[in-house]
Amino acid sequence: MVDADGRLLTGAREVCEMRELYEHRPSHRPRSAYADLALVNGRIYTGDPGLPWCSALAVAGGRIVARGERGDIAHALGAGTRLIDLGGRFAMPGLYDMHTHPDLALAPRYADDLDIGIVDPRPDEVRDAVLAYAAKHPDREWIYGQYFVRYTFRQAGLVPGKAWLDTVMPDRPVALLDRMWGTMMVNSLALERAGITAATPDPTNGYLERDPVTGEPTGLLIDGAYALIHAAMPPTPVPVLRAAYRDGIRYQSARGVVASKYVHVCENRLQALHALDTAGELTVRIEAAISWQDDIFPVRRRWELLTGERHYYRSARLNANAVKFHFDGTVEPRSSYLITPWDGANSGWAGKINLTPEHLADMLWDMDRQGIRVIAHCTGDAASDTFLDAVAEARRRPGGLGVRHQCAHCTILHGSNLRRFRELGVTAEFSPVSWYPSRFVSGARSGYGPERLSRAYNVKGVLEAGGVAVIGTDWPVSPLDPWIALETLVTRANPWGEMEGRFGEPISVEQAIGVMTRNGAWSMDMEHRAGSLEIGKSADVIVLDRDLFAIEPQGNIHATRVDLTFIAGELVHDRLNAESDAVWQGEAPKLW
Ligand SMILES: [Zn+2]
């Protein structure tokens, strides 16, 4: 950036304004004796049992250097310290959303894909939306979008699939995802473009629904099978993904999230995240999990990424040392892998897994030796049981690093497995979508049957057995808003009171905060440097408009507003001050 005579060249200014991609400082660089930042006059919940509450924090070089009452941090205050008076407001450690997909929800917006935009669209509404989109986009080859809902077809006495879709749109390829992301409905032309015929074998991670006599695909592709369709479509471009992630990150910062796992990434997605990182807009620490197999879209450079290309994206905010895969399916197509068959004694069908147990055990061991975390989608109790068995096997083999692998969703867990999360150092991750009664959840969950549902989403059981439970919003399956998760962890009831009843065992506010802060940090291997407000840890602090310990949780926690979000002492979100130097100002964007 400097020429032979030492003059600054054009472009150097931009370089100077770029964020440093490292929080580390050379260990011998002199440090100021004073804090860069101090928060005073707050009601600060630290999450540290040694000192749960304080009113003042001092931060230097991104870390907490003093805490306590105002007098306890006085020695750290200098002329250059930025002093923020919290005016008695409540503050706490930032939140961890340990499983989400902002790209899947938001990229269609920037790619201008079809978005039906109705929570539970009826078949006629799906038809109207497809026709309107087709008319508006005459030059688009593919009509691709979301969502249709299987149970609304059942209610209308219709069968979703190519026969129905061909009556709507016979002459352009159409592919629509269902709301649970477990099924794709396509028309005959889409099957033809993807080269799918009766002779096409099912992939290991999904299947084609077929006519029982002819073997002809019906146009419903389950789980990983729909990657066959995506492979025939153009991949989502990097600028679209970048715009999508930017919105998601801005939203997460505005809702107090400081760290998140983005699961199912490919080379384009990593490039998009890297671009945000270098622009100073990655205001959430992201662990990005590379798809182990083509569960949603094809990942063309999977092996290059896993063997080392992933390191090129690494910074203080971005880490791609994880893989994600769908181990079993979902409730709607009855592909969750269960210990007892779906229909009791009348059927032998217990669902399926997408990797053989031998494949899984070898893969876990291999990834463990490379320090790569494995995140496995497990909705059925047999899926998580088999996953835990494979971790146990990997732990017995030599050379493993004891990586904290993650059992995603944990919808139904077997009681005997609760203690194994602690024993094997596996994170139990729960998804909030099914924690409270809603029309969608009632429709979907009924398939599991009453016995299994009575032990579903057993966050409390894992915690009582000494295990680490975390939450993932799993957006777009459920909203990206972590405060809905926090409220429903505590109430297990519908936050808006739309439906009566409770579902599962609640935990306390204090436990729920621990799940969404300290436990998240543990599941990202950061518990020694983040997750609670302790001296030496990263200053990841959020300031709220209400005191979570002083309000009635039901109907209130989900509506919490986050006034300020700091990550490593950097102010990244400021809700109340439009002139602020924070990366983002104002309310969280409306994303759904
Ligand atoms: Zn997911």
Side-chain angles (χ1 to χ4, degrees), residues 99 101 263-264 324 326 377 409 474 477:
H99 180 150
H101 319 260
V263 300
H264 288 303
K324 160 83 191 290
H326 285 170
H377 162 118
H409 307 304
D474 203 20
V477 180

Side-chain angles (χ1 to χ4, degrees), residues 133-135 137-143 169-174 187 189-190 193:
Y133 181 89
H137 299 83
D139 302 328
R140 276 230 166 177
E141 193 192 351
W142 280 81
I143 296 170
M169 177 63 56
D171 50 359
R172 286 164 73 181
V174 184
N187 64 358
L189 198 55
R193 291 286 164 85

Side-chain angles (χ1 to χ4, degrees), residues 27-358:
S27 52
H28 297 286
R29 180 188 287 179
R31 283 174 193 272
S32 160
Y34 297 110
D36 333 299
L37 170 73
L39 305 178
V40 298
N41 193 22
R43 185 169 147 70
I44 303 173
Y45 177 69
T46 65
D48 168 18
L51 180 77
W53 294 95
C54 66
S55 68
L57 290 175
V59 178
R63 293 175 187 209
I64 296 167
V65 293
R67 62 176 188 170
E69 302 311 311
R70 172 93 185 231
D72 299 317
I73 69 158
H75 66 278
L77 305 182
T81 305
R82 178 182 188 179
L83 194 73
I84 298 181
D85 189 326
L86 298 181
R89 278 179 296 175
F90 179 85
M92 60 177 272
L95 301 179
Y96 286 67
D97 179 347
M98 297 292 83
H99 180 150
T100 194
H101 319 260
D103 52 318
L104 297 182
L106 292 168
R109 192 168 301 178
Y110 290 101
D112 199 19
D113 293 336
L114 167 61
D115 181 3
I116 293 173
I118 300 171
V119 177
D120 291 298
R122 298 187 310 265
D124 59 312
E125 291 170 322
V126 175
R127 179 198 62 214
D128 292 350
V130 168
L131 292 175
Y133 181 89
K136 206 173 149 214
H137 299 83
D139 302 328
R140 276 230 166 177
E141 193 192 351
W142 280 81
I143 296 170
Y144 168 65
Q146 55 195 20
Y147 301 110
F148 78 100
V149 175
R150 289 181 76 145
Y151 74 78
T152 64
F153 276 76
R154 278 204 299 276
Q155 283 169 342
L158 292 169
V159 180
K162 69 176 181 185
W164 182 82
L165 208 45
D166 286 348
T167 66
V168 175
M169 177 63 56
D171 50 359
R172 286 164 73 181
V174 184
L176 299 176
L177 284 163
D178 88 313
R179 190 164 143 202
M180 291 195 90
W181 287 77
T183 308
M184 183 186 272
M185 169 165 61
V186 300
N187 64 358
S188 297
L189 198 55
L191 289 170
E192 198 184 305
R193 291 286 164 85
I196 297 171
T197 67
T200 306
D202 290 334
T204 55
N205 59 338
Y207 60 96
L208 310 165
E209 283 198 5
R210 296 170 194 268
D211 179 287
V213 179
T214 62
E216 197 60 47
T218 66
L220 289 181
L221 297 99
I222 310 301
D223 299 330
Y226 63 68
L228 297 170
I229 298 287
H230 276 149
M233 294 169 54
T236 313
V238 174
V240 164
L241 292 165
R242 178 181 167 160
Y245 280 131
R246 187 178 188 273
D247 283 356
I249 282 164
R250 180 174 175 196
Y251 181 90
Q252 288 187 303
S253 286
R255 299 302 284 142
V257 172
V258 293
S260 194
K261 295 185 185 179
Y262 288 178
V263 300
H264 288 303
V265 301
C266 59
E267 49 280 21
N268 278 8
R269 283 164 167 79
L270 284 169
Q271 277 179 39
L273 288 167
H274 178 69
L276 289 172
D277 198 8
T278 51
E281 293 181 329
L282 201 66
T283 54
V284 174
R285 285 192 194 92
I286 302 298
E287 179 175 301
I290 299 155
S291 283
W292 178 255
Q293 55 191 2
D294 295 342
D295 282 322
I296 296 180
F297 43 77
V299 185
R300 293 183 170 88
R301 295 186 66 75
R302 170 180 302 113
W303 308 116
E304 290 87 341
L305 287 166
L306 288 174
T307 50
E309 209 170 278
R310 68 186 190 283
H311 297 307
Y312 284 96
Y313 301 99
R314 181 74 162 112
S315 78
R317 299 272 171 91
L318 184 58
N319 177 358
N321 294 345
V323 297
K324 160 83 191 290
F325 69 102
H326 285 170
F327 194 31
D328 68 343
T330 53
V331 54
E332 278 272 352
R334 301 199 159 202
S335 48
S336 297
Y337 182 46
L338 300 172
I339 289 175
T340 51
W342 276 89
D343 297 311
N346 299 328
S347 122
W349 175 247
K352 73 187 275 281
I353 42 177
N354 300 332
L355 277 59
T356 63
E358 293 76 13

Side-chain angles (χ1 to χ4, degrees), residues 315-579:
S315 78
R317 299 272 171 91
L318 184 58
N319 177 358
N321 294 345
V323 297
K324 160 83 191 290
F325 69 102
H326 285 170
F327 194 31
D328 68 343
T330 53
V331 54
E332 278 272 352
R334 301 199 159 202
S335 48
S336 297
Y337 182 46
L338 300 172
I339 289 175
T340 51
W342 276 89
D343 297 311
N346 299 328
S347 122
W349 175 247
K352 73 187 275 281
I353 42 177
N354 300 332
L355 277 59
T356 63
E358 293 76 13
H359 174 170
L360 176 62
D362 287 358
M363 175 265 246
L364 262 164
W365 179 50
D366 194 9
M367 293 298 105
D368 205 278
R369 287 183 301 166
Q370 294 189 61
I372 296 177
R373 186 184 333 285
V374 177
I375 302 177
H377 162 118
C378 298
T379 59
D381 48 11
S384 46
D385 191 56
T386 310
F387 181 67
L388 291 165
D389 285 347
V391 177
E393 170 65 20
R395 297 279 188 255
R396 279 192 288 271
R397 296 190 197 175
L401 299 174
V403 174
R404 293 161 182 174
H405 302 296
Q406 181 163 332
C407 185
H409 307 304
C410 291
T411 311
I412 313 278
L413 294 175
H414 191 270
S416 301
N417 280 329
L418 299 176
R419 63 184 169 77
R420 291 217 286 172
F421 288 98
R422 180 178 57 77
E423 287 167 5
L424 296 168
V426 171
T427 301
E429 172 226 308
F430 294 90
S431 320
V433 68
S434 301
W435 292 348
Y436 60 86
S438 70
R439 225 180 120 213
F440 169 61
V441 168
S442 307
R445 77 189 189 194
S446 57
Y448 282 123
E451 186 280 321
R452 272 186 283 262
L453 281 173
S454 69
R455 56 190 165 89
Y457 318 111
N458 197 353
V459 186
K460 191 177 184 190
V462 169
L463 292 178
E464 282 178 350
V468 174
V470 302
I471 70 102
T473 59
D474 203 20
W475 196 46
V477 180
S478 56
L480 185 59
D481 192 338
W483 297 95
I484 299 173
L486 188 48
E487 178 174 323
T488 53
L489 268 175
V490 175
T491 65
R492 306 299 288 247
N494 186 305
W496 300 274
E498 293 155 343
M499 280 182 81
E500 289 294 306
R502 270 167 192 261
F503 192 57
E505 288 277 322
I507 56 174
S508 71
V509 171
E510 199 174 356
Q511 281 178 310
I513 290 175
V515 163
M516 293 183 62
T517 57
R518 209 175 37 242
N519 288 9
W522 186 91
S523 85
M524 288 181 79
D525 308 296
M526 299 200 311
E527 77 277 17
H528 300 299
R529 54 190 180 92
S532 59
L533 304 179
E534 295 178 58
I535 290 174
K537 284 195 176 182
S538 183
D540 303 343
V541 189
I542 56 176
V543 178
L544 311 184
D545 72 339
R546 65 197 70 193
D547 179 343
L548 299 180
F549 290 89
I551 54 172
E552 162 63 34
Q554 169 74 39
N556 289 314
I557 291 180
H558 78 273
T560 296
R561 293 199 287 186
V562 179
D563 291 345
L564 302 172
T565 302
F566 296 91
I567 176 166
E570 181 192 2
L571 181 60
V572 292
H573 156 73
D574 188 339
R575 184 172 74 88
L576 300 169
N577 178 10
E579 305 297 308

